[in-house]
């Protein structure tokens, strides 16, 4: 039985990823920072997939803005070792969105917090997972990255920088881990229909239709399908990026509706 570990999967895209792996019969371990939310999500997953083992694990990325909680990562993998669970696919979905960061206004620690979670913590998770994958002859890692790794959006300096850093991390890991039969790849979503977009109806009404050739944004299942491709099918693919953004990245300027 194969196992996926999915970070940040109590809500939004992470749920679709957990459900994809569970529906394929994999054991799924997922994480969240709030123990009550983790417990509630675990119950819901177990009800939906009674024949599959699903384990929620409560873990935070940081001790404070400047410090990644490496000990917590070690404890999580020790917990899995004790249960005899080896992670075949690590899905790095959790992200600090670093919303509302204004140039000249935020303290440096706001930037550090986002970089620490999205790059440093993710590296720490990769290292611990990859050590074990190496021992069993292979595995794979999938970053849920973002097309903001290539194109900036306003007031999100830390997030955009972190996603760019994450792509560099993905490539460096792919190179160093290839010899252990560990593949490392990234999904680059554009806009995903999560509660954040639903709470922002003006933006949602105007932006997807003008900024994506397909005229619609992704849903969690689109991202989950792409993750599944890398995890289960892409035997000879590593260091690759799969953009799931309705064509958002390749469009140079907004489509202005013709006046009637
Ligand atoms: N939504 C989009 O439009 C969009 C677009 C492009 C890329 N993406 C990427 O796709 C992935 C999923 O997006 P999403 O919108 O579904 O994400 P989300 O709901 O904003 O975040 C996923 C989870 O990350 C966890 N998280 C946040 N800050 C954290 C921290 N400091 N330490 C540990 N975990 C933390 C949260 O889980 P808990 O609060 O339960 O701990 C959260 O539920 C992310 O990597 C995101 O960057 C999203």
């Amino acid at each position: 039985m194969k196992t996926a570990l999915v970070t940040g999967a109590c809500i939004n895209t992470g749920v679709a990823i957990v459900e994809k792996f569970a529906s394929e019969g994999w054991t799924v371990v997922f994480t969240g920072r709030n123990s009550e939310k983790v417990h509630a999500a675990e119950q819901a997953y177990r009800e939906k997939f009674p024949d599959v083992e699903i384990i929620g694990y409560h873990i935070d990325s940081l001790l404070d803005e400047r410090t990644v909680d490496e000990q917590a990562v070690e404890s999580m993998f020790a917990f899995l070792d004790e249960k005899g669970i080896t992670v075949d696919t690590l899905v790095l979905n959790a992200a600090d969105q670093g919303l509302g960061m204004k140039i000249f206004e935020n303290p440096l620690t706001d930037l550090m917090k986002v970089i620490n979670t999205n790059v440093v913590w993710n590296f720490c998770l990769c290292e611990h997972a990859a050590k074990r994958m190496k021992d069993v002859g292979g595995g794979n890692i999938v970053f849920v990255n973002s097309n903001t790794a290539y194109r900036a959006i306003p007031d999100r300096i830390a997030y955009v920088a972190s996603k760019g850093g994450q792509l560099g991390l993905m490539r460096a890991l792919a190179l160093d881990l290839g010899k252990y039969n560990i593949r490392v790849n990234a999904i680059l979503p554009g806009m995903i229909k999560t509660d954040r977009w639903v709470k922002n109806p003006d933006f949602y009404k105007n932006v997807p239709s003008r900024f994506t050739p397909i005229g619609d944004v992704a849903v969690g299942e689109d991202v989950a399908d792409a993750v599944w491709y890398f995890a289960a099918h892409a035997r000879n693919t590593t260091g690759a990026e799969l953009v799931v953004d309705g064509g958002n990245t390749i469009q140079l300027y907004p489509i202005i509706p013709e006046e009637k």
Side-chain angles (χ1 to χ4, degrees):
M1 187 62 63
K2 291 206 167 195
T3 299
L5 168 56
V6 185
T7 61
C10 295
I11 57 164
N12 292 338
T13 313
V15 173
I17 299 171
V18 169
E19 293 192 349
K20 177 66 190 171
F21 281 89
S23 69
E24 298 287 346
W26 285 40
T27 296
V28 185
V29 182
F30 71 95
T31 73
R33 287 168 302 167
N34 177 298
S35 56
E36 278 169 27
K37 284 187 192 161
V38 170
H39 185 65
E42 188 184 63
Q43 297 272 96
Y45 288 136
R46 285 180 178 173
E47 271 166 36
K48 197 160 177 184
F49 301 97
D51 300 328
V52 171
E53 187 173 12
I54 302 194
I55 300 166
Y57 192 92
H58 165 222
I59 185 170
D60 203 336
S61 56
L62 306 178
L63 289 170
D64 59 47
E65 297 93 330
R66 294 167 195 270
T67 325
V68 169
D69 193 350
E70 190 180 0
Q71 185 60 53
V73 175
E74 277 182 27
S75 300
M76 177 170 71
F77 279 93
F79 164 82
L80 296 176
D81 290 344
E82 246 172 57
K83 283 180 124 9
I85 292 176
T86 309
V87 174
D88 298 281
T89 296
L90 170 65
V91 185
L92 299 154
N93 170 72
D96 187 327
Q97 298 290 336
L99 294 172
M101 191 169 169
K102 301 274 185 197
I103 186 83
F104 309 129
E105 290 180 19
N106 291 64
L108 194 58
T109 44
D110 282 359
L111 182 122
M112 293 170 81
K113 182 164 119 4
V114 177
I115 305 275
N116 272 336
T117 294
N118 298 355
V119 181
V120 186
W121 183 56
N122 278 346
F123 170 71
C124 191
L125 290 161
C126 288
E127 225 188 4
H128 281 78
K131 253 183 215 161
R132 287 149 176 94
M133 289 173 183
K134 173 176 168 266
D135 289 345
V136 296
N140 71 90
I141 297 171
V142 185
F143 285 87
V144 183
N145 187 259
S146 168
N147 64 0
T148 60
Y150 287 111
R151 300 286 180 97
I153 50 176
D155 300 332
R156 300 284 292 279
I157 292 170
Y159 180 76
V160 170
S162 77
K163 290 294 182 178
Q166 225 183 53
L167 271 195
L169 176 64
M170 180 278 285
R171 284 189 287 266
L173 287 169
L175 192 57
D176 286 357
L177 293 173
K179 56 178 163 298
Y180 305 114
N181 192 31
I182 300 169
R183 297 178 296 105
V184 190
N185 294 290
I187 315 297
L188 279 65
M191 291 163 264
I192 309 171
K193 238 175 237 177
T194 61
D195 53 356
R196 227 179 4 268
W197 300 111
V198 177
K199 283 178 201 154
N200 201 349
D202 275 351
F203 184 90
Y204 197 66
K205 198 167 119 240
N206 291 311
V207 174
S209 60
R210 294 182 187 191
F211 282 87
T212 68
I214 285 177
D216 199 5
V217 303
V219 292
E221 287 74 9
D222 297 317
V223 177
D225 283 345
V227 171
W228 178 250
Y229 168 69
F230 280 137
H233 298 293
R235 197 192 60 84
N236 196 234
T237 304
T238 195
E241 299 165 15
L242 178 51
V243 180
V244 181
D245 71 350
N248 181 219
T249 307
I250 52 97
Q251 185 175 323
L252 191 58
Y253 53 80
I255 296 161
I256 313 288
E258 276 177 37
E259 279 181 35
K260 300 227 167 103

